[in-house]
Amino acid sequence: MFIYALAFALGIVTGLRTFMPLAALSWAARLGLLKVGGTSLAFLGYAATPWIASFLAFGELIGDQHPKTPSRKSPPQFIARVASGAFSGAAVGLAYHGLVGCIVCGVVGAVIGTLGGAAARTALARAFGKDLPAALVEDVVAIAGAAVIVSQLP
């Protein structure tokens, strides 16, 4: 049951930052915390994968600060977040033998994280009087959340 909660939580983080769970999971796989060797997601543990995923996550953190970045609720961004949530759930599910349930939990978490994250950021931006501080708070929550979640892998 715990793995489903982790997949759901990773999905929520995906709703905040699309590539953050991928980066965290690839580091976990590389360090031996996520046992995906021998599965179709074994590439997560390859030497280059955590670096590539981290580069993508870092690029997203930078790109999100740009005022012309499209809304996470627009179809391409929303679909990418749901797909990333499914992928994150699949990684956890393959490692701990709960594939379908973890994919569903990852997708549901991504939808909630996307919509809830957008609402929270809007409220924070209003409170701060501008978007940048709200975006930075969201970045910290996504980074810390991904790190804490993967540290809890059984």
Side-chain angles (χ1 to χ4, degrees), residues 22-128:
L22 171 64
L25 288 167
S26 62
W27 279 108
R30 182 69 186 154
L31 297 172
L33 302 172
L34 181 68
K35 309 289 188 219
V36 290
T39 72
S40 58
L41 297 181
F43 71 90
L44 284 173
Y46 294 176
T49 307
W51 296 103
I52 294 167
S54 295
F55 178 77
L56 292 170
F58 182 73
E60 183 180 18
L61 292 174
I62 300 300
D64 185 64
Q65 310 309 317
H66 193 276
K68 297 210 181 216
T69 300
S71 167
R72 73 184 81 200
K73 296 187 292 184
S74 68
Q77 285 73 17
F78 194 89
I79 291 167
R81 290 169 195 268
V82 169
S84 183
F87 182 86
S88 298
V92 173
L94 277 175
Y96 300 104
H97 311 293
L99 181 61
V100 174
C102 283
I103 290 172
V104 169
C105 289
V107 166
V108 171
V111 170
I112 291 170
T114 300
L115 300 176
R121 181 161 165 180
T122 299
L124 279 173
R126 267 194 222 117
F128 287 124

Side-chain angles (χ1 to χ4, degrees), residues 12-13 15-17 20 61 64-65 72 81 113-114 116-122 124 131-145:
I12 290 174
V13 172
L16 303 178
R17 295 290 177 268
M20 197 58 63
L61 292 174
D64 185 64
Q65 310 309 317
R72 73 184 81 200
R81 290 169 195 268
T114 300
R121 181 161 165 180
T122 299
L124 279 173
D131 186 63
L132 182 60
L136 295 174
V137 168
E138 188 178 16
D139 290 345
V140 169
V141 169
I143 293 166

